[in-house]
Amino acid sequence: MAHWVTRISWTLMPAACAGWLLAAAPAPAEQAGLSRAEVYRRAAALTDLGRRMFFDTRLSASGRLSCASCHDPAFAYGPPNGRAVQLGGEDMRQSGPRAVPGLKYLRATPQFQEHYHDSDEEADESVDNGPTGGLTWDGRVDSGHAQARLPLLSPAEMANASVAAVVERARAAGYDAELRRLFGETLFDDADRAFDAITMAFESFEQDVATFEPYSSKYDAVLAGKATLTEAEAHGLALFNDPAKGNCASCHISERAKDGTPPQFTDHGLIALGVPRNPEIPANADPGYHDLGLCGPMRTDLQDRPEYCGLFKTPTLRNVALRTTFFHNGAFHDLREVVRFYVQRDTNPEKWYPRAADGSVRKFDDLPAQYHENVNMEPPFGGQPGDEPALTDSEITDLVAFLRTLTDGYGT
């Protein structure tokens, strides 16, 4: 696979981070004073352990679900099919309320902040970007090992009844000896400590640059001067960046940072888009149920902040063309339709939302009326019914052509 990133510090980061994980974990005195080579060897071992556990169904209560079941490497560690939500649980018949997010290009995600100030030079206190950062659709955890806890213990996913149950399944699967070598012989004297070690292994694997951050798309090759966009792709990029047309780059940043860091195609912010309610999600059969993202119900610390209701994380657009499930509720299954929704949500709302008994269109039907003012109205949104959308059909075609250049593995 071609790699277009040459910054050495990026290639060293996973091992250094894994070394930090080892140092952060409780460990016996004999692990102190390790040589640099030994630290890197242990980091590599921890990453390899996390990789094997990631694909192991034995860590689930059903014995049939692994992390890779929902985060398939063939789909950029995103969902392997077009289901709005994946099935799991002890009987593999349970489903949660949200679509599976991708796991690639997450390492640059900042910790969650309600008031995020950022610039290429230094924090600019005059610009408040609002709620930003964190992992998951609502940004409620800030680290890979904290995120790994969620599916392991979720009744709708791997369905382990407790931390101790995860630890026992890891031991039964034969990982105990390796975990003791990395974290100390007394590791399993404390189930919480052992569970932390397991989740650290997952995090170490998910920070592996070659796997999760190869920066090997055609667009990366273009930025490196090793490829050229076609006419349609170049036009699509111009539309992507144009504030009066796609305006995609306002949230999905497409340029390198001044320090040369490759574009992440996200600003890591949280935003309300007014995505239509998805009847494919079982929880939505209850008309009183609403997934409000940042203000609940999964995230509980901001439930008293109505201005946050309906906000969800802005995902990276890298590898977006490999997905067949889009947005937090999986309401769309085709990339072209996603772009069409953006530009026609307000000009042609009847295409996206149901009608009320009086024939009126029920816009933003997955969000209670008191939160409709939270929905983003910046271009390409906005306009009135009957207005011309910001993009024509041919422009949508070119924009999608550009988005396809963000798929990893170009030239392989």
Side-chain angles (χ1 to χ4, degrees):
M1 178 176 291
H3 297 275
W4 313 117
V5 179
T6 57
R7 287 163 52 89
I8 295 177
S9 60
W10 280 68
T11 64
L12 293 181
M13 184 65 73
C17 184
W20 173 84
L21 292 174
L22 287 172
E30 61 266 22
Q31 289 195 4
L34 295 176
S35 68
R36 182 181 180 88
E38 179 63 10
V39 168
Y40 273 75
R41 187 194 69 76
R42 288 173 178 264
L46 187 65
T47 298
D48 180 66
L49 176 61
R51 178 183 292 107
R52 284 179 283 125
M53 291 196 299
F54 189 91
F55 291 90
D56 197 334
T57 61
R58 293 174 294 177
L59 299 184
S60 66
S62 68
R64 297 164 57 191
L65 191 72
S66 70
C67 300
S69 299
C70 297
H71 299 283
D72 190 326
F75 295 88
Y77 288 86
N81 53 49
R83 294 185 62 94
V85 290
Q86 302 298 311
L87 296 178
E90 291 185 348
D91 57 3
M92 291 297 292
R93 296 180 181 179
Q94 309 304 311
S95 61
R98 292 179 181 167
V100 172
L103 294 182
K104 297 188 79 171
Y105 300 101
L106 295 181
R107 192 160 52 91
T109 304
Q111 292 190 343
F112 176 80
Q113 300 177 50
E114 289 188 63
H115 304 284
Y116 185 73
H117 305 273
D118 184 45
S119 72
D120 274 338
E121 302 298 334
E122 58 182 324
D124 181 356
E125 296 299 326
S126 69
V127 179
D128 183 354
N129 295 293
T132 300
L135 303 175
T136 74
W137 282 110
D138 54 22
R140 69 187 184 276
V141 296
D142 285 324
S143 67
H145 59 274
Q147 185 277 328
R149 297 178 63 96
L150 303 178
L152 286 167
L153 299 175
S154 168
E157 297 180 66
M158 300 180 82
N160 288 287
S162 65
V163 163
V166 176
V167 172
E168 286 308 306
R169 287 195 167 93
R171 298 187 74 174
Y175 297 118
D176 52 338
E178 291 173 272
L179 285 164
R180 284 198 304 270
R181 280 197 296 272
L182 289 168
F183 291 93
E185 288 298 325
T186 63
L187 177 66
F188 291 100
D189 293 350
D190 183 335
D192 288 329
R193 181 183 161 203
F195 183 69
D196 286 345
I198 290 167
T199 58
M200 284 178 179
F202 281 121
E203 180 175 40
S204 185
F205 168 53
E206 291 169 19
Q207 290 188 349
D208 180 60
V209 165
T211 302
F212 289 93
E213 294 186 357
Y215 294 101
S216 59
S217 71
K218 180 178 181 179
Y219 187 64
D220 291 305
V222 170
L223 292 179
K226 299 179 181 295
T228 304
L229 295 176
T230 67
E231 182 178 351
E233 292 164 351
H235 185 220
L237 173 59
L239 294 167
F240 186 97
N241 290 331
D242 189 338
K245 298 294 286 184
N247 197 34
C248 312
S250 63
C251 294
H252 300 281
I253 300 168
S254 59
E255 297 181 349
R256 286 185 182 272
K258 289 185 178 180
D259 66 355
T261 302
Q264 302 300 302
F265 284 91
T266 176
D267 62 359
H268 308 289
L270 291 97
I271 189 171
L273 301 177
V275 178
R277 193 170 179 86
N278 188 356
E280 297 177 44
I281 295 178
N284 284 344
D286 176 3
Y289 173 81
H290 292 91
D291 186 352
L292 300 178
L294 191 52
C295 77
M298 293 185 186
R299 183 164 189 160
T300 59
D301 59 324
L302 298 171
Q303 289 181 332
D304 62 346
R305 302 294 296 275
E307 69 272 26
Y308 290 164
C309 292
L311 276 64
F312 292 88
K313 280 289 298 297
T314 299
T316 177
L317 293 185
R318 287 181 172 275
N319 296 296
V320 69
L322 297 181
R323 293 187 67 93
T324 53
T325 301
F326 299 90
F327 298 118
H328 70 278
N329 64 356
F332 290 87
H333 302 283
D334 178 80
L335 181 56
R336 184 182 178 86
E337 283 299 286
V338 170
V339 178
R340 195 186 299 276
F341 167 73
Y342 271 86
V343 301
Q344 295 182 357
R345 185 195 71 184
D346 299 315
T347 61
N348 303 89
E350 73 282 354
K351 290 186 177 182
W352 314 108
Y353 301 102
R355 292 188 180 273
D358 63 1
S360 61
V361 178
R362 294 173 50 219
K363 283 187 70 174
F364 313 145
D365 64 321
D366 203 24
L367 194 61
Q370 65 265 35
Y371 306 129
H372 284 189
E373 64 182 18
N374 296 344
V375 176
N376 184 273
M377 299 301 294
E378 297 176 357
F381 298 124
Q384 299 297 320
D387 290 350
E388 287 297 317
L391 299 175
T392 65
D393 281 348
S394 63
E395 288 173 331
I396 290 173
T397 296
D398 289 351
L399 180 51
V400 170
F402 167 68
L403 292 174
R404 296 188 186 282
T405 71
L406 305 182
T407 302
D408 286 332
Y410 175 71
T412 60

